[in-house]
Amino acid sequence: MRNTKRWMACMLAAAIAGGTLAGCGGEKADTAADTTAQTSETKAGGEAAPAEKELTVEEEIAQDMAAEPIVLEYRQGGTTAEIDDDAEVVKYIEEKFNIDLKSWYVDSKNYWENVNVRFAGGEMPDVLRIDNASQLGTLVEGGIIAEIPIETIRKYAPNYAKAMDDADDGSYWTTLLYNGKNYGMPIPQEVTPHAMIWRKDWLDKLGLEVPTTLEEYEKVLTAFVEQDPDGNGKKDTAGMAERAMGAIFGAYGVRCVTGLDTKAQFFTEEMQLGEDNVPFFPYIRPEAKEGLALLHDWYEKGIIDKEFITGENHGGYGGLSHSFMNGQIGLTTAQPYHYLVASTDSTDETNWGICMKEFKALNPDADIVYGPAPIGPNGKSGTEAWGKLGVFTCITTKAAQDPRKVRTILRVVDEYFKDTEYIKMVNYGIKDVHYSEEDGVLKRIMDGTELRKQGILQVDLGNTPKYANEINKKKTEFGNSVTGNGYYRFNVPPVEEFSNSIATLDTMTEQAYFDIISGAKPVDYFDTFVEEFKAAGGEAAEQAVQAEYAARLEAVKQQ
């Protein structure tokens, strides 16, 4: 989840007040490089003892595997569950790495606020996945995340390092740098943009086709409001809520997204990379004002759910749209596999994703259909797409104090780029128990929470190219066939100007956008908002990010 807005400000304040968070004793732990490099001791008289023979990586791993199992607490993403220690997949992972695997459980609703409470209480996992690179500075300064030198990664995770090298566009290895040091492992991803998902039964009832342009969208969504698509005799349906707003902005060429979360919010921290390879804040561009004007018009016409600010998700799995499932709206967005896994066949229950299962449980006779993102006045269109680098996996300062933990964490990451059967096990589990396979397509039998109790999805690293093209080839091809252009997440390099202002800018943007869409403020208030945004640190943050990104690109050229 990406709910970092108010949490980041609290985290920074706590870090300044206490020196560090999570029981680090006021001093940051030695880095992973420091702890693994210590090979000699000093005698009482001050004379250095002879250095012990440095072990090879293979010898170190052999020692680790022969020792007592080490406890490893994983915090991989916003959705998880308490692990069942007796589950077969858990035992498989534990035996493979000689660990006692624990999930660092946090309720996914208000995720980062809940994480912060545990940090403030002196608790910390060994592995922490962050949502985007802009969080890095706050977490490093707060004493949460430890340095992990790239040379150490190359030593203990060579397959991961090769995958990074193979995919690198010149900036991959710079993603988690902070003050010249590396603080984590960004994972290369095969990314499918979000899909536009319609109530097919509503379209069929009203004799409507799936729309393609903004004008056609308005006609269809208006019909959903006025022509009683659910047949209950009441005018109680809307066209869409907050999740589809990203595609409306996309029709004007800007990446202003709400994404998947438990409440509506605009993610200002996710900047956009322009066609000129220069990053910018899309929320203050003139094109965004055009999108807001249209959304306000649609809000006044009842096309947008009047309760959109409360969000489409009201708990449980983050991808669920309760507004869509409960018949409040007829359009939403999600990853294609959230609804249908590997084809458009909605009659095949084994082809249902987690959201489709929930949807059909409530609406047995209902159906969905995918459609294109709306085309705007200048021919542009597109939906939110997650970053081509993601699952930012970091080692905490607690884990960094133990060289064996560092080695083991790197081995867990590396295995995901080495062993196809391992990737399948940690993503899908055991065949005919946790998933079925037909014609090369793997389909989960259990829902997400139950899978995580079984240890599945607890140490996975997402849709890497190896995973997408070797295990989920048909699913990948299907996802690409029902989506179009994606506005990919730009990984903001951590700079002080950005870190210091982003919480304020997030809050400011969210309030202004809500006010303009709902009519609490006129559309022209956007111009005032832009000036206030810039004055509140937005202009300095944007310029600092642009300068840092340009410097990193130049540095790559010199290598």
Side-chain angles (χ1 to χ4, degrees):
M1 299 300 171
R2 295 172 295 188
N3 188 18
T4 62
K5 303 176 179 184
R6 296 160 185 85
W7 168 82
M8 290 182 72
C10 294
M11 174 74 78
L12 185 58
I16 293 171
T20 57
L21 294 174
C24 297
E27 295 182 10
K28 294 183 181 179
D30 291 335
T31 67
D34 293 335
T35 54
T36 54
Q38 294 169 355
T39 57
S40 64
E41 298 178 352
T42 302
K43 295 181 179 179
E47 180 182 347
E52 297 179 7
K53 176 181 176 293
E54 184 175 353
L55 299 178
T56 65
V57 172
E58 291 74 17
E59 289 171 335
E60 287 180 308
I61 293 174
Q63 284 189 359
D64 293 344
M65 293 299 292
E68 288 295 313
I70 191 170
V71 175
L72 213 57
E73 291 184 281
Y74 251 79
R75 177 64 258 167
Q76 276 281 68
T79 305
T80 188
E82 297 281 8
I83 288 177
D84 179 356
D85 288 332
D86 295 324
E88 289 187 61
V89 175
V90 174
K91 291 179 179 178
Y92 166 84
I93 297 170
E94 290 179 335
E95 291 174 5
K96 191 172 190 68
F97 300 105
N98 192 28
I99 62 175
D100 180 4
L101 180 65
K102 302 294 183 185
S103 65
W104 203 68
Y105 178 75
V106 179
D107 190 343
S108 62
K109 190 169 185 178
N110 298 321
Y111 169 66
W112 277 107
E113 286 89 340
N114 292 329
V115 169
N116 189 37
V117 168
R118 295 193 66 178
F119 283 163
E123 300 179 69
M124 191 188 296
D126 296 303
V127 179
L128 178 68
R129 185 180 111 180
I130 63 175
D131 299 318
N132 57 69
S134 67
Q135 295 172 260
L136 190 64
T138 301
L139 289 163
V140 170
E141 296 299 331
I144 303 297
I145 292 178
E147 179 193 1
I148 176 69
I150 291 175
E151 61 197 61
T152 303
I153 295 173
R154 290 191 180 280
K155 180 177 180 180
Y156 294 106
N159 295 286
Y160 160 77
K162 183 178 185 303
M164 282 285 283
D165 290 340
D166 290 345
D168 195 0
D169 63 0
S171 63
Y172 275 36
W173 283 108
T174 70
T175 302
L176 294 180
L177 293 181
Y178 183 71
N179 290 338
K181 297 180 179 180
N182 186 67
Y183 285 91
M185 291 162 282
I187 308 298
Q189 301 287 297
E190 184 76 24
V191 183
T192 301
H194 283 193
M196 307 302 295
I197 300 164
W198 294 87
R199 283 287 299 258
K200 184 178 184 298
D201 51 314
W202 286 15
L203 293 171
D204 291 346
K205 182 178 185 296
L206 303 180
L208 298 169
E209 299 292 329
V210 174
T212 59
T213 66
L214 281 176
E215 292 78 8
E216 291 173 357
Y217 261 65
E218 181 168 341
K219 290 179 181 178
V220 170
L221 294 172
T222 299
F224 285 173
V225 175
E226 298 178 349
Q227 298 182 29
D228 190 24
D230 60 357
N232 69 353
K234 300 177 181 178
K235 191 175 180 180
D236 58 358
T237 52
M240 54 175 270
E242 91 280 357
R243 289 189 176 176
M245 289 180 183
I248 306 305
F249 287 108
Y252 294 95
V254 285
R255 188 184 193 274
C256 301
V257 300
T258 55
L260 305 180
D261 215 319
T262 54
K263 61 181 179 180
Q265 53 193 319
F266 290 96
F267 298 104
T268 314
E269 60 266 32
E270 296 188 0
M271 296 177 71
Q272 184 172 344
L273 191 62
E275 295 178 0
D276 57 358
N277 205 30
V278 176
F280 62 91
F281 282 118
Y283 293 90
I284 58 174
R285 289 295 179 101
E287 297 88 344
K289 183 179 181 180
E290 295 182 73
L292 284 170
L294 181 63
L295 289 171
H296 168 63
D297 182 52
W298 285 6
Y299 181 87
E300 291 294 311
K301 293 175 178 177
I303 289 174
I304 296 174
D305 185 0
K306 296 299 183 183
E307 305 299 322
F308 80 91
I309 292 176
T310 63
E312 294 183 34
N313 179 274
H314 304 299
Y317 183 68
L320 295 172
S321 170
H322 296 93
S323 301
F324 187 73
M325 293 190 302
N326 293 330
Q328 293 170 250
I329 58 175
L331 170 67
T332 190
T333 65
Q335 280 288 304
Y337 64 83
H338 282 156
Y339 284 83
L340 299 175
V341 175
S343 76
T344 56
D345 185 1
S346 60
T347 65
D348 178 8
E349 293 188 21
T350 66
N351 190 42
W352 293 353
I354 184 171
C355 293
M356 191 67 172
K357 291 176 182 177
E358 294 277 351
F359 174 74
K360 293 293 279 187
L362 292 173
N363 310 277
D365 298 326
D367 203 358
I368 63 103
V369 64
Y370 296 102
I375 301 171
N378 296 315
K380 295 182 178 180
S381 70
T383 58
E384 173 189 5
W386 297 333
K388 293 183 179 181
L389 279 179
V391 194
F392 300 128
T393 302
C394 301
I395 295 174
T396 66
T397 52
K398 183 184 84 169
Q401 297 176 65
D402 185 341
R404 180 183 167 190
K405 278 193 176 183
V406 173
R407 291 192 297 269
T408 303
I409 292 167
L410 291 175
R411 286 177 55 215
V412 173
V413 170
D414 197 56
E415 200 69 19
Y416 205 91
F417 293 86
K418 176 182 178 183
D419 185 346
T420 302
E421 290 306 310
Y422 169 79
I423 300 172
K424 185 184 293 186
M425 178 66 85
V426 300
N427 266 281
Y428 284 94
I430 300 167
K431 186 177 180 181
D432 298 327
V433 175
H434 305 113
Y435 75 93
S436 62
E437 184 172 0
E438 183 178 349
D439 193 25
V441 178
L442 281 63
K443 299 173 182 177
R444 295 187 173 99
I445 297 172
M446 298 181 180
D447 67 26
T449 300
E450 186 59 34
L451 286 171
R452 286 169 170 82
K453 291 178 181 177
Q454 301 291 313
I456 301 161
L457 301 174
Q458 291 286 15
V459 298
D460 79 291
L461 293 173
N463 197 41
T464 64
K466 185 178 181 70
Y467 172 91
N469 297 312
E470 293 185 16
I471 296 176
N472 266 345
K473 183 175 174 58
K474 287 193 174 181
K475 178 178 171 182
T476 300
E477 292 175 344
F478 166 68
N480 290 332
S481 74
V482 295
T483 57
N485 176 55
Y487 291 103
Y488 294 92
R489 181 182 302 162
F490 172 70
N491 296 314
V492 177
V495 294
E496 185 176 359
E497 293 86 347
F498 185 96
S499 299
N500 289 346
S501 62
I502 192 58
T504 298
L505 299 176
D506 260 328
T507 301
M508 181 182 296
T509 301
E510 180 177 288
Q511 190 60 56
Y513 271 51
F514 286 166
D515 285 347
I516 292 172
I517 293 171
S518 66
K521 295 278 178 66
V523 173
D524 283 341
Y525 172 72
F526 179 85
D527 302 323
T528 301
F529 154 70
V530 170
E531 294 305 314
E532 292 176 345
F533 183 99
K534 291 179 178 179
E539 185 169 35
E542 186 174 72
Q543 292 174 353
V545 168
Q546 291 171 348
E548 175 66 16
Y549 182 65
R552 291 185 179 204
L553 291 177
E554 188 61 33
V556 170
K557 293 178 183 178
Q558 304 304 319
Q559 293 182 5

